[in-house]
Amino acid sequence: MADITRRLGLRHLRSAPTAHIRHHQHGRLVHDGPGLSFWFRPLSAALSEVPVDDRELAVVFHARTADFQDVTVQATVTYRISDPAAAAARMDFSVDPDTGAWRSAPLEQLATLLTESAQQHALAVLARTPLAEALADGVSAVRERMTRGLGAEPRLPATGIEVVAVRVVAIRPEPEVERALRTPARERVQQEADRATYERRAVAVERERAIAENELASRIELARQEERLVEQRGTNARREAEENAAADAVRAEAEAARTVRLARAEAEAARTVGEARAAAQASWLAAHATADTATLHALAATRLAENVPRIDSLTLAPDALSALLAGLARTNGTADGGRAS
C-alpha cells in the first residue's frame, strides 16, 4: 500500500519499489512506474497501484479420480504481474487518494482466476487416473499439466499475469480411504517385522544350539583328556610300583647276598676260632698231661683265685684249718713217698 501524506490541500505519494504506480490526471497519464514519489491534487487524480513482485498463491481443491474416489489436491502457484498497464486496464487496482488503500480486492480476483484455471487442468488429469496411480505418480503428472495449462491459458497474458512456477504439495484421499489403503502396506510392514523377528529368533536359537554343541564337544573332549590322564596316572603308578618292586628285589638280593657272605664269613671265622681253640685246648691238655698233681692243684687254685671275687678278709675255723693242714700233710707225704719209691 502506498504511503500518502497531506500538505495544504495537496497529497504526497511514496510507493515501494515493488509497486507500479499509474497516475492519471484529467484522463491523462501523468506518472507511470514503480517506486515513484510525487505530489498530486486528490480531486483531479486517479491512482492505481499494481504489485509487480512474485506472489505465492496456495491452491486447495477437491477432485475425483477415474475410480470415483475423492482426493484433495494441495498446490502452490507462484505468479507475478508482468504488464501492470494491462492488469490495471482489466482489473480495478485503483487506490483511495487519501489513504492509499485499494478501493476493491484485485488480488482476490487474481487468486480466483488462477485457482480456477489451475483446478480445471488438474481435474482433467485426475479424472482419467485411478486412485492408486494418482497417489503414486499423480503429483508430477498434475504439476506438469498445470504448468502447461497455465502457460497456454490466453486470459492470463491478456490480464498481464505471468506464471513463474507451479508446485503440487500433496494429493490425499479421504481419511477412510487413506486408512484402508494404509492397511495392506501396514500389514506387509508388520509381516516383514514379524519375519525379521522370527529370523532373528531362529538365528538366536541356531547360535544357542551351536554354543550348546560347542560346550558339549568341549565337555566330551575334556572327559577324554581326563580319561587319558587317569590312564597315564595308572600307567605311571604301575611303572613306579614295578620300578620300586625291581629296586626292592635288587635291594633284597643284595641284602641276601651280603647276609650270606656275612654268614659264610662268620662261619669261617667260627670254624677258624674253633679250630684254634681246639688246638689250644689240645695243647693245654697235652701240657697238663705231663704235669704232676701238685702242679695241677696249684693251677686250679690259681684259676679259682682269678675267678673268685675279691676277698678282703678270710676267717678260718679251727676245724677247717686242722682238716686243711691234715690234707696238706697227707698230700705232701704221698708226694714224698712217691718220689722216694
Side-chain angles (χ1 to χ4, degrees):
M1 186 177 65
D3 184 13
I4 298 178
T5 57
R6 301 180 180 183
R7 291 291 187 275
L8 301 176
L10 298 177
R11 303 290 186 271
H12 184 269
L13 182 143
R14 184 176 66 244
S15 64
T18 57
H20 189 96
I21 303 298
R22 292 176 62 85
H23 176 210
H24 290 79
Q25 187 174 3
H26 301 294
R28 184 173 57 86
L29 184 61
V30 179
H31 297 93
D32 186 15
L36 298 181
S37 178
F38 54 88
W39 292 92
F40 65 92
R41 294 182 180 275
L43 297 179
S44 61
L47 301 174
S48 298
E49 183 181 4
V50 181
V52 294
D53 56 338
D54 291 349
R55 291 183 173 267
E56 302 285 341
L57 175 63
V59 180
V60 179
F61 56 90
H62 294 276
R64 180 169 293 183
T65 61
D67 47 2
F68 304 103
Q69 298 295 326
D70 290 335
V71 294
T72 301
V73 180
Q74 298 178 2
T76 302
V77 178
T78 303
Y79 70 94
R80 63 184 295 270
I81 299 176
S82 58
D83 190 354
R90 301 293 295 271
M91 293 184 179
D92 186 9
F93 283 94
S94 62
V95 296
D96 190 337
D98 293 329
T99 61
W102 279 314
R103 296 180 182 273
S104 60
L107 296 181
E108 294 181 3
Q109 296 177 6
L110 284 178
T112 302
L113 175 61
L114 290 172
T115 300
E116 292 177 353
S117 299
Q119 183 175 355
Q120 66 179 357
H121 297 295
L123 293 176
V125 174
L126 294 175
R128 297 191 301 271
T129 306
L131 178 62
E133 184 179 351
L135 295 178
D137 302 325
V139 171
S140 59
V142 171
R143 182 180 64 250
E144 292 176 359
R145 180 60 182 272
M146 289 175 62
T147 302
R148 291 197 307 268
L150 291 176
E153 185 70 29
R155 186 180 176 184
L156 297 180
T159 314
I161 300 174
E162 177 185 357
V163 176
V164 177
V166 176
R167 299 189 303 274
V168 178
V169 180
I171 299 176
R172 303 190 61 177
E174 293 181 347
E176 295 80 4
V177 177
E178 187 173 5
R179 283 194 295 269
L181 292 175
R182 288 178 179 176
T183 301
R186 187 181 295 110
E187 292 296 330
R188 286 194 299 272
V189 172
Q190 187 64 38
Q191 291 176 3
E192 291 294 329
D194 295 340
R195 184 176 61 82
T197 301
Y198 298 150
E199 291 179 355
R200 184 170 63 253
R201 290 179 179 176
V203 171
V205 170
E206 183 65 21
R207 290 179 179 176
E208 290 179 358
R209 185 184 64 80
I211 293 173
E213 290 180 355
N214 292 334
E215 291 180 353
L216 181 59
S218 300
R219 291 179 181 177
I220 294 174
E221 184 63 25
L222 182 60
R224 290 177 181 174
Q225 294 180 2
E226 290 180 353
E227 182 180 0
R228 289 197 295 269
L229 180 60
V230 171
E231 292 178 356
Q232 187 63 36
R233 286 179 178 175
T235 303
N236 295 338
R238 185 167 58 254
R239 184 176 301 172
E240 184 178 0
E242 292 176 355
E243 294 293 335
N244 293 332
D248 293 340
V250 172
R251 191 181 300 108
E253 291 178 359
E255 186 67 24
R258 189 176 67 83
T259 303
V260 170
R261 289 194 300 270
L262 289 176
R264 287 179 182 177
E266 290 178 356
E268 185 66 23
R271 185 178 62 80
T272 303
V273 171
E275 291 178 353
R277 287 181 179 178
Q281 189 69 25
S283 298
W284 186 78
L285 290 176
H288 284 73
T290 58
D292 54 5
T293 306
T295 302
L296 295 176
H297 286 169
L299 291 175
T302 302
R303 296 293 301 273
L304 178 63
E306 291 178 356
N307 295 319
V308 171
R310 181 180 178 182
I311 299 174
D312 294 331
S313 62
L314 178 64
T315 302
L316 296 177
D319 294 337
L321 183 57
S322 297
L324 179 59
L325 291 177
L328 290 174
R330 284 194 300 271
T331 301
N332 291 328
T334 301
D336 292 336
R339 283 194 301 268
S341 62

